[in-house]
Amino acid sequence: MATVVERERKYSGDEGFRLPDLTGCGGVATASDATALDLDAVYWDTADLRLARSGYALRRRTGGHDAGWHLKVGAVGGARTEHQFPAGPEDADPPAELVALFRGASRGRPVAPAARVVTRRRERRLLDAAGRTLAEVAEDDVRAEDLVGGERQTWHEIEVELVEGDDALLDAVDDRLRAAGARTVPVSKSHRALRGRLAATRPAPADPAAAPVVDYLTAQRDTLIGHHAGALGGDEDAVHDMRVAVRRLRSTLRTFRGLWDRAESEGVRAELRWLGGQLGPVRDVQVMAARLADAVHAEPDELVLGPVGARFAERFAADLATALDGLRAALGSDRYTDLLRRLDALVEGPAARAVRPRWVTRRVRRAVTRFDERLDRGLADGGSDDAALHEARKAGKRARYAVEVRRPDAKLVDRLKDLQDTLGAHQDSVVTREVLREQALRAYADGENTFTYGLLHARQAAVADRAGPALAKARDRARRRKVRRWLKG
């Protein structure tokens, strides 16, 4: 299976639109002659179109230079990841490797042909002076059919996809196409083919007072599902973003718990905690491995005594393999898809109660106040209580996420993030010191020199010592009246 990152933009034009000369755009010196291609793609989805609704597109395509099964993940207009798998002549269903990648988006439900898109393509390569292909421009005459609803459509579309060019080239081409009368198309061909049924799946609008909470939960759920494929492969950014989405979901369900049936929302929170427990070990190992590798590299050679870097690499490679096995098992389980279905029901279903306009703000204020109290307790003895500061850090995350629900652009979000980062640096030093102590004991038992482990331990202790003054300063900035005035309204 091949995986590529696709960066493209789509456009449409009125009848009679002609592709303008694109030489001079972002280093384009010339364009190749047009090559004609006939593409026939069948898009697959669940009965309720969960793949399309989650930003996934699964197709089996014939024709062109990359015929076969394709799974695209991401929104049109940005970087999309495309997983490609060859198709055999007798293929009746998507390959298991692809099914695993979209299992979260499908919620574990079966997929079937949903739409057919037939394209007559005229493709040109945009070349620089050295003959390198910077981008490909395709003019597509499209015929689409919803294979369930029966709706048929035709349209003309222009695609510009980067090859060796950059975003500056895309921007320059964008200016040239717009000047010629083209308009951006914000959705994929499959979305256009399924637009009627997709419109019917949109949830009813939430109560205006509760809408910020529902919108925030929806965005985090979509982030969680959008990073499923990357996390399955151990991609560091995907694991991190998926873990943060889980934290935000759990925190929001707790802060605004009065909106839903208490037993169900708490049940979903418990399952999210389980999922976070599968993501956490993977991310923690990735972060710790990078942190200690950098720490060893930063020391002069004469202070690195023994195979310190090699020992860390061995340990973390084994730990990461074990953690990834656990995560992959979790993401392939029925428990995971059951969690996603229950989350859908909370996000898309009616609230259990109506709330007054100021209810959300009062809940936000309560979360911020609790953080203030936890932080003051953590700093009461000069910041020497590591456990209390860790609890304050967790409360700080809940406060920040609550503020994001109500006022995502508020200065208070940035101030709370600064506090959270400072608390995080302190907690990281606590955890890192424990890892260094364990590794030093192993090295000692193996007869190796432990000097460097002690040195790194002292460096981390110094980080914790510097956290106190930084925390006090960040706390004062976060408590200024002007950044909190809206909480009292």
Side-chain angles (χ1 to χ4, degrees):
M1 180 170 61
T3 300
V4 298
V5 176
E6 174 186 86
R7 290 182 294 165
E8 68 177 15
R9 297 183 189 177
K10 295 176 179 286
Y11 302 85
S12 65
D14 295 329
E15 186 175 353
F17 174 84
R18 293 291 181 270
L19 189 71
D21 180 9
L22 297 175
T23 57
C25 293
V28 174
T30 187
S32 70
D33 293 334
T35 300
L37 300 169
D38 290 308
L39 310 175
D40 191 340
V42 174
Y43 287 84
W44 292 54
D45 212 323
T46 61
D48 58 354
L49 303 179
R50 280 291 175 186
L51 295 188
R53 294 161 65 185
S54 300
Y56 284 64
L58 172 67
R59 73 186 177 200
R60 189 185 190 284
R61 190 169 76 181
T62 58
H65 52 78
D66 60 351
W69 289 98
H70 303 157
L71 177 67
K72 293 190 177 187
V73 183
V76 171
R80 305 178 78 194
T81 301
E82 181 175 312
H83 306 275
Q84 303 172 346
F85 200 88
E90 304 301 324
D91 282 357
D93 295 296
E97 291 88 341
L98 286 186
V99 173
L101 295 180
F102 65 71
R103 196 167 189 276
S106 69
R107 314 309 197 257
R109 295 189 174 101
V111 295
R116 184 183 182 193
V117 176
V118 178
T119 303
R120 177 66 174 176
R121 170 167 289 181
R122 295 180 300 282
E123 187 174 85
R124 292 177 174 84
R125 292 176 293 118
L126 302 182
L127 311 172
D128 66 6
R132 292 187 309 143
T133 301
L134 301 179
E136 293 177 344
V137 178
E139 295 182 87
D140 294 340
D141 291 317
V142 184
R143 292 184 291 113
E145 179 185 2
D146 184 329
L147 297 176
V148 176
E151 181 182 7
R152 297 187 178 189
Q153 306 171 59
T154 60
W155 67 85
H156 183 72
E157 185 173 287
I158 302 98
E159 286 187 5
V160 183
E161 181 176 353
L162 287 181
V163 179
E164 295 187 59
D166 55 20
D167 287 340
L169 168 61
L170 284 180
D171 291 339
V173 171
D174 180 85
D175 290 340
R176 192 75 58 89
L177 290 176
R178 286 174 178 271
R183 300 181 301 277
T184 57
V185 175
V187 296
S188 65
K189 289 181 174 68
S190 58
H191 269 71
R192 293 183 74 169
L194 295 166
R195 64 182 182 182
R197 281 200 290 149
L198 282 170
T201 64
R202 295 192 187 107
D207 176 76
V213 181
V214 175
D215 290 346
Y216 189 80
L217 277 179
T218 301
Q220 302 314 314
R221 180 212 47 193
D222 292 348
T223 296
L224 175 71
I225 294 166
H227 289 291
H228 169 98
L232 198 63
D235 178 81
E236 293 188 10
D237 290 337
V239 172
H240 170 73
D241 290 345
M242 198 173 185
R243 186 188 191 188
V244 171
V246 167
R247 286 174 171 168
R248 284 185 162 116
L249 286 164
R250 290 188 63 227
S251 178
T252 304
L253 289 173
R254 172 178 174 169
T255 300
F256 305 99
R257 60 179 52 160
L259 277 177
W260 305 276
D261 174 79
R262 178 66 64 90
E264 180 58 15
S265 66
E266 288 301 299
V268 171
R269 283 191 70 243
E271 290 301 279
L272 285 167
R273 182 175 184 177
W274 161 77
L275 180 57
Q278 312 307 309
L279 291 158
V282 177
R283 184 59 183 155
D284 290 344
V285 171
Q286 291 171 337
V287 171
M288 187 62 69
R291 178 181 297 123
L292 288 177
D294 290 344
V296 173
H297 182 73
E299 296 295 336
D301 290 344
E302 62 269 20
L303 296 183
V304 181
L305 306 183
V308 180
R311 291 291 180 260
F312 283 138
E314 291 170 5
R315 170 180 176 172
F316 293 129
D319 290 349
L320 182 59
T322 300
L324 276 172
D325 285 345
L327 176 60
R328 287 168 179 147
L331 296 182
S333 69
D334 291 341
R335 184 175 182 178
Y336 171 63
T337 51
D338 287 345
L339 162 61
L340 295 179
R341 293 175 190 176
R342 293 173 69 183
L343 185 58
D344 288 338
L346 287 181
V347 170
E348 299 172 3
R353 56 170 286 191
V355 296
R356 295 182 178 180
R358 294 294 301 167
W359 184 85
V360 170
T361 301
R362 287 198 300 270
R363 291 281 174 152
V364 174
R365 184 168 63 241
R366 184 182 301 178
V368 173
T369 300
R370 285 176 177 170
F371 172 46
D372 290 343
E373 294 169 351
R374 293 282 180 89
L375 182 58
D376 288 344
R377 284 201 293 270
L379 294 175
D381 297 322
S384 60
D385 189 337
D386 293 339
L389 287 176
H390 183 46
E391 290 301 312
R393 180 193 183 196
K394 292 190 289 186
K397 289 179 180 178
R398 289 192 292 269
R400 175 186 160 200
Y401 300 154
V403 174
E404 287 176 348
V405 168
R406 185 65 185 85
R407 293 277 295 272
D409 58 346
K411 286 185 178 180
L412 184 55
V413 172
D414 294 332
R415 301 292 170 84
L416 291 174
K417 185 178 185 302
D418 290 342
L419 259 174
Q420 181 183 323
D421 289 346
T422 307
L423 286 164
H426 178 274
Q427 179 62 19
D428 289 344
S429 77
V430 172
V431 176
T432 304
R433 277 178 278 162
E434 182 57 29
V435 171
L436 287 165
R437 179 179 175 278
E438 292 174 359
Q439 198 64 30
L441 290 173
R442 294 182 186 182
Y444 180 78
D446 291 339
E448 296 175 359
N449 193 307
T450 61
F451 169 82
T452 304
Y453 298 106
L455 175 64
L456 296 176
H457 191 284
R459 303 270 196 240
Q460 289 299 316
V463 171
D465 291 340
R466 292 193 296 269
L471 274 174
K473 183 177 179 181
R475 176 195 59 188
D476 293 342
R477 293 182 70 243
R479 294 186 183 179
R480 289 176 182 170
R481 184 176 302 175
K482 65 180 180 179
V483 301
R484 295 194 176 198
R485 188 178 297 118
W486 61 272
L487 285 171
K488 299 179 180 179

